[in-house]
């Protein structure tokens, strides 16, 4: 939280507690009475009831004034059975009431559906406890105990169950080399192993339902430290597993530092006989690969059916005396398989390797398949460790290692980036630029850098009493491939009045049904494209491509700004709005992965570009246009408020750095000469709108009115500009003072700026939501003027401004702005004009169904939108593009909310 926040987050644990009585707004503000007797909120699992018990965190919205800050919340099943829940505030309305509440449940939440309502939360039978000493923090829940170090090279000294240590010496490991893997290089790379050193430990939540400890540190070797990291450890009451979220921030030299392995390693004590020790790996399809350290099946002589069944099931074999005599007499001579590896080399293939020792060769054909779940296990009847990585095959190359399984202590390493793959190469793809005119590429010296970007990995560890049955392994695997998530229904999200103006589905006429069908069909198309085109990988997963090349039957993956989309025109927001109104799990997963990608990979969180993000490009961070709108908070809030994800909350707060960064990174530096009237220069849209979304988010998260005041300051400044939101050249240039938030009229280019991108990055939604929260009448009038005349005929513009002008607007993008003006002014003709602008724009027409391309035109069959029916040109070519997909469907969703009576 902000240092000046009146709400320390930890004060709210165990319910939205009385600590909320501290005011979130200016002293002396009067609050309306808040309702506390409402029906509550119904919740259900996104993908249906989880196949294995697992906890999760989630967020719930509340209409303004309905949940007082002192009211605790209770969770129950459909039949009224209390379920322990831990609650805390995520955001507040200006009146001080709760806007979003965050919650955590444990594996005890095993029902199909739930109800959250005011009431005293149930206490867990065995609450989580947290003890801190100078050297360690101990988390315990009655089932397992986790010791977490406060400093040093061992982050997790031990994980125990029932007094038995399941894992110890948990450490973060990093492999670096000084050059990429290149067979033509004059010498082999120099390789070094690094260790993650804990520098600080903070208890973020002390229980009783869930405890969260945050470790921070850096990887160190000799006197050098690189890649600052965070490690959050989550333990729920009664759970036999703990969740770990690791993230790192890139600050190394991408030209000389190449990651060859990144992971977390544990030691696992083993006491069972080798034939009763088992290694298990799960698959995404629900399968299990499993073998013992000493294999007793498939021998020349039969040990007995009971022995063979025990080896297959992972249970203890009968006593040796009961085995077949020849096996009983000779089993000590059988091979001991000491080392195992599951290597997911791509999104389409994994292999299981095993060997007896480093002196022997690997058998790399021990198992194979397309997609592993990321779950592994080593142990026996006396207990063992289950371990797993989320998004395992999606973020390939990844691997799971078990070493020393035949010894007293096995070593398990969960590789978020596998050392079996070529070293990670974060350099841009070329040393020269290829031109904005032809390749749509904006490369600038020193700007194509990954400095400050982040990537995270979610791990889960199970302290298990014995080798789990195969069905249990499949169920545990499912919690990695489809993590449980509680959500509510579209009507509840909509009624809360959050995220601006959006509609619920409307199929009341054939034309509206066609629009709704188009939204669903196009989202399904992108979901299929992600899989078909394999938009997967450690750095890529979550993103989609920008524009299609119909001649190659391939997305323009290698053509400048037409390659990775980086959520260019609100693709992420479109997916979230589509989920909110449909509740569709597939849409949620697409949206969640995209937000995770954009907030981590496409945004710089430190360094020269802190708070800014990178424009669409061949390499995610390769473009020279570093923009506040890529890192803006508005489009990240959906995921944060729906999942209550602490790391995403950190990354959202990081966007506030953009204010100061704009002093040195002028978004118009390539377009206009330097100016001296203000410390910085921005475009009112999209730059200032993006900053507004950052300030709005911090204000509602903390109640700190300084951030509201920055919004009000800028709004009042704009209201004094004679041209209002038509101010400024090059798309709305204005001076900006990062210290105060003031905007300065540069008195150049009014009405001539070309404002086509002003609202293209959710600017209209940012302003609609902000105007609903702050009362600045003069700015509302200014915005209404812009919306009223942006798409007006010449005569109306002349009558209002005494001149005609062409603001250079995209019809679809500004259709909802025009309709909003009609709604605000009660003008049905204006609302209809908005719809007419949309329906008359070729980009506003849904795409036809995709067609399959086969034969020699492609390497393998693909689906694509037929371009013979596409009227969108890119250069001289008809094509289809993600920009159109996003903006068309965003317009439909907003127009149906703003002007439903005028809809076709």
């Amino acid at each position: 939280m902000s240092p000046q926040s009146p709400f320390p987050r930890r004060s709210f644990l165990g319910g939205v507690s009385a600590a909320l009585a501290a005011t979130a707004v200016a002293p002396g503000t009067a609050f309306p009475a808040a309702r506390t007797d409402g029906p509550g909120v119904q919740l259900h699992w996104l993908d249906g009831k989880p196949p294995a018990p697992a906890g999760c965190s989630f967020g719930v919205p509340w209409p303004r004034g309905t949940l007082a800050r002192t009211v605790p919340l209770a969770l129950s099943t459909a039949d009224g059975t209390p379920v322990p829940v831990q609650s805390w505030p995520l955001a507040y309305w200006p009146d001080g009431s709760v806007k979003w509440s965050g919650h955590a449940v444990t594996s005890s939440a095993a029902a199909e559906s739930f109800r959250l309502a005011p009431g005293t939360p149930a206490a867990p039978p065995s609450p989580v406890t947290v003890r801190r000493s100078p050297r360690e923090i101990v988390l315990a829940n009655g089932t397992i105990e986790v010791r977490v170090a406060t400093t040093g090279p061992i982050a997790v000294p031990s994980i125990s169950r029932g007094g038995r240590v399941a894992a110890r010496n948990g450490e973060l490991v990093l492999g670096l080399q000084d050059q990429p893997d290149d067979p033509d290089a004059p010498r082999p790379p120099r390789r070094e192993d690094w260790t993650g050193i804990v520098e600080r430990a903070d208890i973020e939540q002390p229980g009783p339902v869930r405890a969260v400890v945050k470790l921070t540190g850096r990887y160190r070797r000799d006197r050098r430290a690189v890649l600052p990291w965070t490690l959050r450890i989550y333990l729920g009451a009664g759970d036999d597993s703990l969740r770990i979220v690791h993230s790192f921030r890139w600050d190394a030299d991408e030209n000389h530092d190449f990651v060859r392995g990144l992971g977390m390693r544990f030691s696992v004590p083993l006491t069972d006989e080798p034939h009763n020790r088992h290694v298990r790996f799960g698959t995404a399809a629900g399968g299990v690969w499993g073998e013992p350290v000493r294999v007793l099946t498939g021998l020349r002589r039969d040990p007995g059916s009971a022995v063979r069944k025990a080896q297959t099931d992972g249970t203890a074999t009968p006593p040796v005396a009961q085995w077949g005599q020849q096996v009983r007499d000779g089993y000590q001579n059988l091979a001991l398989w000491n080392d195992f590896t599951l290597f997911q080399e791509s999104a389409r293939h994994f292999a299981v390797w095993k060997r007896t020792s480093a002196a022997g060769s690997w058998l790399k054909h021990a198992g194979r398949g397309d997609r592993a779940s990321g779950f592994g296990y080593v142990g026996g009847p006396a207990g063992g460790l289950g371990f797993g990585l989320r998004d395992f095959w999606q973020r390939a190359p990844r691997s799971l290692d078990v070493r020393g399984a035949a010894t007293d202590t096995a070593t398990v390493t969960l590789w978020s980036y596998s050392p079996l793959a070529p070293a990670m190469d974060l350099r841009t793809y070329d040393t020269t630029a290829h031109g904005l005119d032809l390749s749509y590429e904006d490369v600038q010296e020193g700007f194509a850098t990954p400095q400050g970007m982040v990537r995270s990995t979610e791990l889960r560890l199970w302290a298990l009493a014995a080798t789990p049955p195969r069905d249990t392994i499949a169920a545990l695997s499912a919690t990695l491939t489809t993590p449980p998530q509680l959500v509510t229904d579209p009507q509840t999200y909509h009624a809360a009045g959050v995220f601006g103006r959006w509609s619920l589905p409307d199929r009341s006429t054939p034309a509206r049904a066609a629009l709704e069908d188009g939204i669903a069909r196009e989202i399904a198309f992108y979901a299929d494209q992600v899989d078909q085109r394999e938009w997967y990988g450690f750095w890529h997963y979550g993103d989609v491509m920008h524009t299609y090349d119909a001649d190659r039957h391939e997305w323009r993956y290698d053509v400048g700004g037409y390659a990775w989309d980086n959520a260019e025109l609100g693709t992420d927001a479109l997916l979230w709005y589509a989920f909110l109104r449909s509740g569709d799990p597939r849409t949620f997963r697409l949206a969640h992965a995209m937000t995770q990608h954009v907030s981590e990979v496409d945004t710089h969180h430190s360094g020269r570009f802190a708070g800014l993000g990178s424009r669409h490009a061949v390499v995610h961070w390769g473009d020279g246009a570093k923009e506040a709108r890529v890192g803006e908070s508005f489009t990240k809030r959906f995921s944060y408020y729906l999942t209550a994800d602490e790391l995403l909350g950190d990354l959202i707060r990081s966007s506030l750095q953009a204010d100061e960064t704009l002093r040195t990174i002028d978004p118009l530096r390539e377009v206009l000469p330097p100016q001296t009237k203000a410390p910085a220069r921005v475009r009112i849209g999209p730059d200032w709108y993006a900053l507004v979304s950052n300030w709005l988010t911090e204000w509602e998260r903390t109640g700190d009115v300084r951030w509201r005041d920055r919004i009000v300051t800028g709004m009042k400044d704009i209201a004094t500009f004679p041209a209002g939101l038509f101010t400024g050249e090059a798309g709305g240039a204005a001076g900006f003072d990062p210290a105060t938030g003031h905007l300065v009229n540069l008195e150049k280019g009014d009405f001539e700026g070309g404002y086509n991108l002003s609202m293209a990055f959710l600017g209209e939604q940012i302003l609609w939501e902000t105007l609903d929260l702050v009362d600045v009448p003069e700015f509302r009038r200014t915005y209404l003027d812009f919306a009223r005349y942006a798409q007006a005929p010449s005569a109306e513009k002349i009558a209002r401004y005494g001149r005609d002008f062409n603001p250079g607007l995209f019809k679809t993008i500004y259709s909802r702005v025009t309709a909003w003006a009609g709604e605000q002014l009660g003008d049905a003709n204006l609302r209809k004009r908005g719809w007419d602008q949309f329906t008359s724009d070729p980009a506003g027409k849904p795409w036809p169904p995709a067609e399959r391309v086969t034969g020699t035109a492609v390497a393998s069959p693909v689906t694509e939108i037929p371009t013979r029916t596409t009227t969108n040109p890119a250069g001289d070519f008809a094509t289809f593009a993600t920009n159109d997909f996003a903006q068309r469907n965003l317009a439909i969703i907003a127009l149906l909310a703003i002007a439903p009576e005028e809809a076709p």
Side-chain angles (χ1 to χ4, degrees):
M1 283 192 172
S2 166
Q4 296 194 22
S5 167
F7 299 137
R9 181 174 181 269
R10 65 194 64 179
S11 300
F12 298 98
L13 306 178
V16 182
S17 71
L20 281 166
T23 181
V25 295
T29 301
F31 300 115
R35 291 167 39 212
T36 62
D37 58 349
V41 174
Q42 303 300 318
L43 299 161
H44 62 274
W45 297 105
L46 175 66
D47 302 277
K49 184 179 176 181
C56 79
S57 62
F58 60 96
V60 172
W62 302 90
R64 189 182 329 211
T66 61
L67 183 66
R69 295 166 296 158
T70 55
V71 175
L73 296 168
L75 189 70
S76 61
T77 63
D79 64 3
T81 303
V83 178
V85 65
Q86 188 161 293
S87 305
W88 61 95
L90 293 174
Y92 306 94
W93 292 101
D95 66 4
S97 61
V98 176
K99 185 175 185 179
W100 283 91
S101 55
H103 307 275
V105 294
T106 70
S107 57
S108 64
E112 295 280 354
S113 60
F114 305 88
R115 178 176 178 268
L116 183 74
T120 302
S126 298
V128 176
T129 60
V130 181
R131 301 194 316 272
R132 180 164 191 153
S133 66
R135 292 188 177 182
E136 66 180 10
I137 298 170
V138 180
L139 312 178
N141 68 357
T143 303
I144 63 175
E145 179 183 86
V146 183
R147 295 183 177 272
V148 181
T150 57
T151 58
I154 301 299
V156 183
S158 68
I159 303 169
S160 303
R161 177 174 182 149
R164 179 187 180 277
V165 175
R168 60 166 63 101
N169 299 330
E171 61 177 343
L172 294 172
V173 292
L174 168 70
L176 288 180
Q177 60 189 51
D178 66 344
Q179 64 185 40
D181 292 308
D182 185 350
D184 298 324
R187 64 168 178 82
R190 297 189 185 94
R191 294 179 169 179
E192 298 177 336
D193 292 325
W194 296 58
T195 301
I197 305 299
V198 178
E199 298 173 354
R200 176 173 174 170
D202 295 294
I203 300 170
E204 291 189 325
Q205 291 188 6
V209 176
R210 185 183 75 164
V212 183
V213 173
K214 178 184 177 182
L215 304 181
T216 55
R218 289 173 289 178
Y219 294 94
R220 291 183 177 272
R221 180 182 172 89
D222 301 328
R223 296 183 179 180
R224 189 182 175 206
V226 297
L227 308 189
W229 53 262
T230 66
L231 192 77
R232 278 187 170 90
I233 300 168
Y234 299 79
L235 181 64
D239 290 348
D240 62 0
S241 68
L242 62 149
R243 176 174 173 252
I244 298 176
V245 177
H246 170 264
S247 68
F248 71 91
R249 189 177 75 246
W250 185 265
D251 70 343
D253 182 350
E254 63 270 22
N255 295 303
H256 298 96
D257 293 312
F258 298 83
V259 173
R260 63 178 181 85
L262 181 73
M264 192 168 190
R265 179 173 293 148
F266 293 88
S267 298
V268 181
L270 300 172
T271 58
D272 294 295
E273 286 290 323
H275 49 268
N276 284 328
R277 297 182 192 176
H278 293 267
V279 174
R280 297 284 192 258
F281 297 120
T283 73
V288 176
W289 183 95
E291 291 190 2
V293 170
R294 177 186 285 134
V295 180
L296 300 177
T297 63
L299 302 176
R300 188 178 182 189
R301 302 293 182 242
D302 184 11
S305 60
V307 175
R308 287 186 280 107
K309 186 176 188 305
Q311 287 238 305
T312 301
D313 293 347
T315 58
T317 63
V320 175
Q322 297 177 19
W323 297 2
Q325 181 177 345
Q326 289 173 300
V327 178
R328 182 176 69 225
D329 293 344
Y331 79 95
Q332 296 283 6
N333 297 321
L334 294 174
L336 293 178
W337 297 101
N338 195 55
D339 301 333
F340 299 78
T341 286
L342 169 68
F343 178 31
Q344 183 82 52
E345 59 182 335
S346 73
R348 297 295 180 188
H349 182 258
F350 72 82
V352 179
W353 306 359
K354 69 177 187 178
R355 69 180 181 183
T356 56
S357 71
S361 65
W362 284 101
L363 301 186
K364 296 185 178 181
H365 51 283
R368 84 285 317 152
D370 54 358
R371 292 169 173 173
S373 67
F375 177 87
Y377 170 83
V378 61
L385 182 72
F387 47 92
L389 293 172
R390 180 177 175 178
D391 294 334
F392 190 72
W393 59 267
Q394 296 97 325
R395 299 266 195 102
R398 290 190 152 175
S399 56
L400 301 174
D401 283 352
V402 178
R403 300 289 182 266
T407 70
D408 291 341
T409 303
T411 300
V412 168
T413 309
L414 297 86
W415 293 107
S416 59
Y417 190 89
S418 175
L420 299 174
M424 190 187 294
D425 191 344
L426 302 187
R427 297 172 298 170
T428 191
Y429 77 102
D430 204 348
T431 56
T432 61
H434 301 286
L436 188 62
D437 185 49
L438 292 181
S439 72
Y440 201 26
E441 183 172 74
D442 184 11
V443 172
Q444 299 166 35
E445 183 67 28
F447 280 62
T449 174
Q451 292 294 317
M453 68 184 191
V454 167
R455 205 52 169 146
S456 67
T457 297
E458 182 175 328
L459 308 85
R460 190 170 284 274
L461 302 172
W462 288 264
L464 297 173
T467 303
R470 288 174 178 260
D471 287 348
T472 300
I473 291 172
L476 296 177
S477 289
T479 65
L480 293 172
T481 57
T482 310
Q485 181 65 55
L486 282 171
V487 295
T488 187
D489 57 85
Q491 292 75 18
T492 298
Y493 291 126
H494 188 262
V498 293
F499 301 133
R501 303 295 302 279
W502 54 279
S503 60
L504 293 172
D506 183 352
R507 295 180 173 273
S508 59
T509 69
R512 298 180 196 183
L515 293 175
E516 297 288 357
D517 290 343
I519 295 174
R521 184 174 63 247
E522 291 172 13
I523 290 175
F525 171 74
Y526 272 87
D528 291 340
Q529 290 291 290
V530 168
D531 195 59
Q532 184 183 110
R533 310 286 179 164
E534 296 190 28
W535 291 335
Y536 299 119
F538 186 83
W539 293 107
H540 299 323
Y541 181 56
D543 207 352
V544 298
M545 287 282 172
H546 187 283
T547 304
Y548 198 71
D549 181 345
D551 294 310
R552 284 191 284 177
H553 303 286
E554 181 60 81
W555 292 85
R556 303 182 191 182
Y557 68 94
D558 59 348
V559 184
Y562 291 117
W564 289 113
D565 187 60
N566 289 21
E568 168 62 3
L569 288 190
T571 318
D572 47 356
L574 178 274
L575 291 173
W576 280 119
Y577 280 123
F579 164 72
L580 289 172
R581 64 202 304 267
S582 70
D584 176 55
R586 194 180 194 188
T587 304
F588 180 98
R589 301 297 180 189
L590 281 172
H592 181 270
M594 186 171 290
T595 296
Q596 193 171 38
H597 172 87
V598 176
S599 63
E600 294 180 4
V601 180
D602 298 338
T603 304
H604 300 272
H605 294 281
S606 64
R608 182 183 181 189
F609 308 116
L612 307 181
S614 296
R615 172 185 177 269
H616 44 103
V618 171
V619 175
H620 297 287
W621 50 89
D623 199 83
K626 304 301 183 184
E627 302 276 355
R629 49 94 179 169
V630 178
E632 72 179 12
S633 298
F634 186 88
T635 51
K636 318 302 182 296
R637 294 156 76 237
F638 297 93
S639 189
Y640 175 62
Y641 289 141
L642 289 169
T643 67
D645 177 2
E646 283 83 3
L647 174 59
L648 183 53
D650 291 346
L651 300 181
I652 286 175
R653 182 154 289 135
S654 173
S655 67
L656 294 168
Q657 298 175 93
D659 295 11
E660 288 299 319
T661 299
L662 289 168
R663 290 181 185 269
T664 54
I665 305 299
D666 183 347
L668 294 168
R669 64 191 177 279
E670 295 290 302
V671 180
L672 299 176
Q675 58 82 36
T676 58
K677 286 192 172 184
R681 178 171 55 194
V682 297
R683 294 159 296 183
I684 296 175
D687 305 315
W688 181 71
Y689 299 157
L691 301 182
V692 167
S693 86
N694 298 342
W695 303 332
L696 168 67
T697 305
E698 189 67 5
W699 171 37
E700 68 182 4
R701 287 178 67 184
T702 66
D704 188 337
V705 297
R706 292 179 305 160
W707 303 105
R708 177 204 62 191
D709 293 346
R710 291 177 76 83
I711 297 171
V712 172
T713 294
M715 285 183 167
K716 289 185 174 181
D717 289 337
I718 291 171
T720 67
F721 298 169
L725 292 177
F726 292 115
T727 294
E729 57 188 337
F736 172 62
D737 186 348
T740 64
H742 274 294
L743 295 174
V744 177
N745 189 353
L746 300 179
E747 300 178 349
K748 290 183 180 180
D750 290 356
F751 301 102
E752 299 172 358
Y755 306 93
N756 55 351
L757 295 182
S758 177
M759 298 287 177
F761 305 97
L762 281 299
E764 80 287 345
Q765 290 282 14
I766 293 169
L767 293 182
W768 291 340
E769 184 166 2
T770 305
L771 282 172
D772 192 44
L773 301 174
V774 299
D775 184 20
V776 185
E778 58 268 47
F779 179 78
R780 180 181 290 274
R781 289 192 295 269
T782 300
Y783 184 21
L784 260 175
D785 259 3
F786 178 86
R788 168 71 179 81
Y789 296 102
Q791 293 180 310
S794 296
E796 293 182 18
K797 288 183 284 190
I798 293 170
R800 169 64 180 86
Y801 294 104
R803 59 177 293 174
D804 192 13
F805 58 94
N806 179 11
L809 305 181
F810 297 122
K811 295 172 73 173
T812 290
I813 294 175
Y814 286 85
S815 61
R816 59 262 207 184
V817 174
T818 298
W820 178 79
E823 179 201 49
Q824 297 296 301
L825 297 170
D827 188 333
N829 290 329
L830 262 182
R831 297 194 298 271
K832 185 176 184 301
R833 180 185 294 169
W835 272 107
D836 289 345
Q837 290 288 319
F838 173 76
T839 57
S840 64
D841 186 356
K845 292 180 171 50
W847 290 333
E851 294 183 352
R852 193 162 179 80
V853 181
T854 62
T856 60
V858 290
S860 58
V862 300
T863 55
E864 63 184 29
I865 303 300
T867 55
R868 65 179 179 275
T869 62
T870 301
T871 55
N872 173 42
D876 296 324
F877 309 98
T879 188
F880 58 93
T882 302
N883 280 356
D884 293 338
F885 158 72
Q887 284 296 318
R888 172 174 56 253
N889 293 311
L890 283 167
I892 294 168
I893 291 169
L895 284 170
L896 286 172
I898 294 165
E901 296 301 318
E902 288 73 29

